[in-house]
Amino acid sequence: MVAAVAAGTLVTGAGVGLGLWAASDGDGPADSTTAPEASPSPSRSYPLSRAPRTIPAVREHTAERGPGWRPERTHRVVVSDGALADEGRLIAGELGLAYAGEKDDERDGDLRLVLNRDAGANPESYTMTVRGGRVTVSGPGEAGVFYGTRTLKQEIRGAGAAPEGVVRDEPAKQRRGLMLDTARKHFTADWIEDRIRELGDLKFNELGLHFSDDQGFRIESDSHPEIVSREHLTKAQVKKIVDLAASRHITVVPEIDSPGHLGAVIAAHPDLQLRDVNGRVVRGAIDISKAESAEIVDDLLNEYAGLFPGGRWHLGGDEYQALVVSDPEASFPGLAAAARKKHGPGATVADLATGWLNDRAVTVRAHDRTPRAWNDGFFRDTSVRVAKDVEVAYWTGKEIGARQPVEYLEEGREVVNYNDEFLYYVLGEPQTFVYPTGERIYEQWTPRVLRGTTAVPSRYDDRILGGSFAVWCDLAGSQTAEQVASGIRLPLRATVQKLWDPREPELTWEEFRNLADELD
């Protein structure tokens, strides 16, 4: 993928342009020690630059001749718009530069951040120009400019310099996430903040927090303090997490999973526990025939809407145990009666559960949130259908009566890829789970591989919003938080590479892994 462009060469980030400067020591231009310092303008004495070595790889680089750019303490970071102040201060601190704010003048060594507002452009795209001893990062949105600074930071960390030329870059997928199960295992605020910094540098833009389950409810609550576990995050800590994430253009997506996985809530409200026809308790399942069940969940959804201001909300909807038996209507006559009363004489327990999910979607939609639910909360052949705007979080095809991913896509639904075959890091490796490796993700997974190892047809690609790596803490004591951070390090990098650039990577896995070591 090479084409001549003016005085340089256009190369793709994962193509022939990957590598350090064409230099004998790999640190800068071959004649950097002899080039006149007062004349940084391009000349034939400089070799053509090579594309930056970053994770994810930049998608396009136009090579030019010139000295590139190295940060010095006398250099300034200037911005064209006050909206970029946070991005400017951050990169200034990271590179040891002076933040000068909004300035119109130009000085040698400047790093300039520019907003070029264009309603039709991808707000996560950016252009970075390194020329004449200066760097300009521009984009139609603040997120794109931020990602340009992440590319620059990686260039400096890995090679010590930004190569002469122009980078044009944007992500292939709009959702690039990490989901953390903080309900089964308490992670400290500091640990989560460290992950946010890591995610930001890798150009992820979502952090999911699954903070309610059978084993714990991990965030302070004013409406229902009785359900909160001893180890939990305060609202002040969560606000700090959300603010830090926002500064990295990461949306925190909360999840209060229901009507299953509510054991911590039910423990404080045993009257809401679902029981079968014989009076046996159904683990984690709330009785959705009772109005009080909806009230307590809606109380929590409404309470946390102000704490999590992002545009997405995960409603769960998976593994409601009333629906894994052979005859739900016979096993749970109370649910069956409630279904018929609410949805008509032919309604089933699956219809009642679907109506529950739709009602919770109404609750979060009132806060301008787009709802998301696990794919096994979308049932086949029900009279009640899940609302069209509910995103499908596709994680498995192992459940009874599993629907193929294509069924959701053919309905016109938007899907986020959580494929448990590649993207599920389940502590203790219970059942058939094994810890995913970055190598396997890098070499075998793409966003179109939604279930198992087979990709859906390319015609559905636009309906796949992106993907999310997920950490589940089923056997919470199996790893420490530090071991989790180490274990997901390479899988995260492989995941974002495949979400950012749809092309086959040019680097081998060994080369990619070595690059990750260089940049960390």
Side-chain angles (χ1 to χ4, degrees):
M1 301 181 189
V2 183
V5 176
T9 302
L10 177 65
V11 295
T12 59
V16 298
L18 279 174
L20 297 177
W21 288 84
S24 57
D25 61 3
D27 277 338
D31 57 349
S32 61
T33 59
T34 59
E37 292 186 2
S39 178
S41 59
S43 73
R44 298 296 296 181
S45 64
Y46 291 101
L48 276 173
S49 61
R50 295 192 178 183
R53 288 167 53 86
T54 60
I55 296 176
V58 302
R59 294 179 66 177
E60 181 184 309
H61 177 253
T62 303
E64 296 181 3
R65 298 180 187 275
W69 181 86
R70 294 174 182 272
E72 297 180 8
R73 297 196 65 84
T74 56
H75 292 168
R76 307 181 304 173
V77 176
V78 297
V79 299
S80 70
D81 191 306
L84 295 174
D86 289 343
E87 289 76 12
R89 289 191 179 96
L90 179 62
I91 191 65
E94 291 168 333
L95 299 185
L97 309 178
Y99 176 69
E102 295 182 67
K103 300 290 183 184
D104 294 326
D105 65 309
E106 294 185 356
R107 296 183 187 175
D108 290 344
D110 276 353
L111 165 56
R112 180 172 292 274
L113 308 184
V114 178
L115 269 181
N116 293 325
R117 301 183 190 277
D118 181 351
N122 182 346
E124 293 190 306
S125 65
Y126 69 92
T127 300
M128 182 169 67
T129 303
V130 180
R131 187 178 295 139
R134 300 185 183 94
V135 181
T136 300
V137 178
S138 63
E142 295 165 45
V145 175
F146 172 72
Y147 296 143
T149 68
R150 299 307 87 191
T151 294
L152 182 63
K153 179 184 177 182
Q154 287 195 29
E155 289 176 321
I156 300 306
R157 187 173 184 90
E164 201 86 4
V166 182
V167 168
R168 294 178 180 86
D169 202 14
E170 65 179 340
K173 293 298 179 183
Q174 62 177 276
R175 301 288 160 202
R176 306 176 301 280
L178 167 66
M179 196 230 70
L180 293 174
D181 172 12
T182 65
R184 294 180 177 90
K185 182 181 184 69
H186 175 64
F187 291 96
T188 67
D190 287 345
W191 189 91
I192 295 172
E193 288 173 11
D194 283 344
R195 301 288 74 69
I196 289 170
R197 295 183 184 95
E198 179 181 13
L199 294 174
D201 282 354
L202 293 170
K203 305 185 178 88
F204 281 88
N205 65 1
E206 278 195 359
L207 172 65
L209 291 182
H210 176 95
F211 63 90
S212 169
D213 212 302
D214 298 342
Q215 294 82 356
F217 191 98
R218 302 291 182 182
I219 295 179
E220 174 188 359
S221 173
D222 298 319
S223 66
H224 291 282
E226 72 280 0
I227 70 174
V228 179
S229 301
R230 182 182 61 81
E231 287 188 311
H232 65 273
L233 298 174
T234 67
K235 286 189 174 181
Q237 288 174 319
V238 174
K239 184 179 186 306
K240 187 180 175 188
I241 287 169
V242 169
D243 289 347
L244 178 64
S247 75
R248 266 66 174 178
H249 298 276
I250 295 170
T251 298
V252 179
V253 181
E255 181 190 359
I256 298 176
D257 199 347
S258 77
H261 296 281
L262 280 173
V265 173
I266 295 168
H269 295 271
D271 53 312
L272 301 182
Q273 174 72 64
L274 179 65
R275 298 175 182 273
D276 69 11
V277 67
N278 298 312
R280 289 189 293 260
V281 167
V282 181
R283 177 176 169 81
I286 203 165
D287 188 340
I288 59 176
S289 70
K290 295 183 176 181
E292 296 83 1
S293 296
E295 289 170 5
I296 192 170
V297 173
D298 282 347
D299 284 347
L300 296 168
L301 295 175
N302 287 320
E303 176 181 358
Y304 292 112
L307 190 61
F308 296 100
R312 296 299 193 276
W313 197 292
H314 204 313
L315 295 171
D318 63 312
E319 297 181 324
Y320 189 49
Q321 295 302 301
L323 291 167
V324 301
V325 298
S326 59
D327 190 344
E329 285 67 42
S331 296
F332 300 95
L335 296 183
R340 292 190 296 271
K341 180 179 180 180
K342 185 169 184 179
H343 299 294
T348 64
V349 174
D351 287 311
L352 189 67
T354 302
W356 168 279
L357 180 61
N358 283 339
D359 289 343
R360 307 292 77 74
V362 169
T363 300
V364 300
R365 205 179 288 119
H367 298 284
D368 296 321
R369 306 298 193 269
T370 298
R372 184 181 296 174
W374 298 111
N375 65 285
D376 49 336
F378 295 73
F379 304 106
R380 181 189 283 116
D381 301 327
T382 54
S383 59
V384 181
R385 308 294 289 174
V386 177
K388 284 290 188 182
D389 68 329
V390 180
E391 296 175 353
V392 180
Y394 200 98
W395 71 281
T396 189
K398 297 183 176 74
E399 78 277 10
I400 297 173
R403 300 172 65 193
Q404 291 289 340
V406 168
E407 291 188 40
Y408 303 92
L409 297 165
E410 286 179 340
E411 292 175 2
R413 293 192 180 276
E414 294 183 320
V415 176
V416 181
N417 190 328
Y418 291 76
N419 187 338
D420 65 343
E421 181 79 16
F422 290 92
L423 306 179
Y424 261 36
Y425 192 95
V426 186
L427 296 198
E429 300 181 305
Q431 301 175 37
T432 60
F433 289 106
V434 296
Y435 291 127
T437 66
E439 181 176 10
R440 188 159 181 260
I441 295 168
Y442 189 77
E443 294 182 343
Q444 299 181 33
W445 180 80
T446 74
R448 289 197 290 116
V449 179
L450 286 160
R451 172 176 174 170
T453 59
T454 303
V456 299
S458 59
R459 65 180 178 273
Y460 297 117
D461 188 63
D462 288 348
R463 295 179 193 167
I464 301 171
L465 299 178
S468 182
F469 193 83
V471 175
W472 292 103
C473 302
D474 290 43
L475 300 174
S478 300
Q479 289 192 344
T480 65
E482 290 72 23
Q483 288 172 320
V484 172
S486 177
I488 67 176
R489 172 180 163 269
L490 287 174
L492 282 177
R493 283 149 180 78
T495 300
V496 80
Q497 175 62 44
K498 304 304 281 291
L499 290 168
W500 190 271
D501 192 337
R503 298 167 299 188
E504 188 74 20
E506 290 291 335
L507 291 182
T508 66
W509 167 248
E510 184 177 0
E511 290 168 336
F512 185 86
R513 184 185 61 203
N514 290 339
L515 176 60
D517 292 341
E518 290 175 21
L519 298 178
D520 285 349

